[in-house]
Amino acid sequence: MPGRRPSARHRFSSLPDDADGPLAAIVVGHPTTGVKEQAPAAYATRLVKEGFAVLTFDAAFQGESEGMPRGLEDPFQRAEDFRAAVSYLTTRPEIDPDRIGVMGVCGSGAYVPYAARTDHRMKAVAGVSGTDVPSFFRGADPEGWQQMVADSGSLRSAEAAGEPAATFPVLPEAADAGTPAPTAEFVDYCKTPRGRHPRSTGDLVVRSADLLDQFDSFADVAKIAPRPLLMIAGTEAVTRGFSEKAVADSPGNAELFLVEGATHVDLYAPPAHRPHLVRRRGSPGPCPRSPPARPS
């Protein structure tokens, strides 16, 4: 049946070597069309070194998780996946249920604030290259996007009649001189050994559009307060504005860290290859990047 509610598959990263007593934990979610073995794995490695337990997972309908049709991007389910991950952590004896944070990269960097608005078990919230997926698609091709929304109803009917779900590739297989720079950097990560993974197909179900079109990732982001919200973005990221707006719409509980010279995809891994300098919103210039704050 189309729309069968799935469950996400979680993966516990290694616990810190010097683990002692219940640990603070962080749930890390992957970019749109990505899988847990890509950006989340890179951040998990770093966070475990900082003393956190880390849980990564594949979103429902994607990667190793359940759900049909494959490749559906249901933003409401994406938020629910994070709530389910937190629920799982609360059952683990090695985890302190009062010190659980959530973090997402790219699309997950926007689904996380949405989920945290009403789930107060999420004690700290962070987005890296956070992107409101419907706004990103809508802005790239407004007419094409609205056509996808309009077509979604008939595609649902076709699935109900037994036809396979219609999908589309989010990216071309390769970039050339005429490829827009934002698209080219996604191709350089997703379609090359730099970030490619066999379970990251790069295809989305077309009728995802009517689900995404009614979703606003950062609506009521102020509800996260007084819990801390950290948005991390590159100074050269095409998606930087989403992080800036999320912080601007928050009532003093949010911070924006800008990584100098970084693009959107540069932050799909901790920026160890560049100086650890960021510019904090409201500060006159670069300041040393501090270790991640523990949920409290």
Side-chain angles (χ1 to χ4, degrees), residues 84-98:
V86 171
S87 293
Y88 172 73
L89 284 176
T90 65
T91 71
R92 300 286 300 220
E94 62 268 62
I95 302 302
D96 183 343
D98 293 321

Side-chain angles (χ1 to χ4, degrees), residues 11-155:
R11 173 172 293 175
F12 230 147
S13 299
S14 299
L15 298 174
D17 292 335
D18 57 350
D20 183 21
L23 299 169
I26 299 177
V27 179
V28 183
H30 61 71
T32 302
T33 77
V35 292
K36 60 187 177 298
E37 289 84 2
Q38 296 171 311
Y43 277 96
T45 299
R46 170 65 185 273
L47 290 167
V48 167
K49 290 179 179 178
E50 297 288 346
F52 296 96
V54 181
L55 179 66
T56 63
F57 66 94
D58 286 331
F61 307 105
Q62 300 170 28
E64 292 186 300
S65 288
E66 298 176 353
M68 296 294 289
R70 304 305 295 167
L72 183 69
E73 183 77 359
D74 181 341
F76 303 99
Q77 180 64 49
R78 290 293 302 268
E80 187 62 27
D81 290 343
F82 280 98
R83 299 184 185 107
V86 171
S87 293
Y88 172 73
L89 284 176
T90 65
T91 71
R92 300 286 300 220
E94 62 268 62
I95 302 302
D96 183 343
D98 293 321
R99 293 194 296 157
I100 297 175
V102 288
M103 169 187 160
V105 183
C106 185
S108 285
Y111 295 137
V112 158
Y114 185 90
R117 298 178 313 164
T118 54
D119 193 331
H120 290 259
R121 300 173 302 170
M122 301 176 182
K123 301 302 184 182
V125 186
V128 179
S129 293
T131 303
D132 181 64
V133 175
S135 293
F136 186 80
F137 283 136
R138 194 182 298 120
D141 182 4
E143 292 185 7
W145 176 255
Q146 289 308 313
Q147 188 60 56
M148 289 174 63
V149 173
D151 290 343
S152 293
S154 61
L155 292 173

Side-chain angles (χ1 to χ4, degrees), residues 255-258 278-288 290:
E255 288 188 90
L256 173 68
F257 276 74
L258 296 177
V278 298
R279 186 165 60 231
R280 184 178 305 190
R281 180 175 181 263
S283 74
C287 60
S290 58

Side-chain angles (χ1 to χ4, degrees), residues 227-291:
R227 292 166 293 155
L229 170 65
L230 174 65
M231 300 299 292
I232 302 172
T235 57
E236 308 306 312
V238 68
T239 54
R240 170 179 166 178
F242 294 120
S243 294
E244 292 175 331
K245 187 175 189 306
V247 171
D249 289 346
S250 298
N253 64 309
E255 288 188 90
L256 173 68
F257 276 74
L258 296 177
V259 180
E260 297 290 344
T263 65
H264 177 97
V265 176
D266 280 342
L267 298 187
Y268 279 18
H273 62 289
R274 63 179 68 245
H276 287 189
L277 294 178
V278 298
R279 186 165 60 231
R280 184 178 305 190
R281 180 175 181 263
S283 74
C287 60
R289 186 180 187 187
S290 58

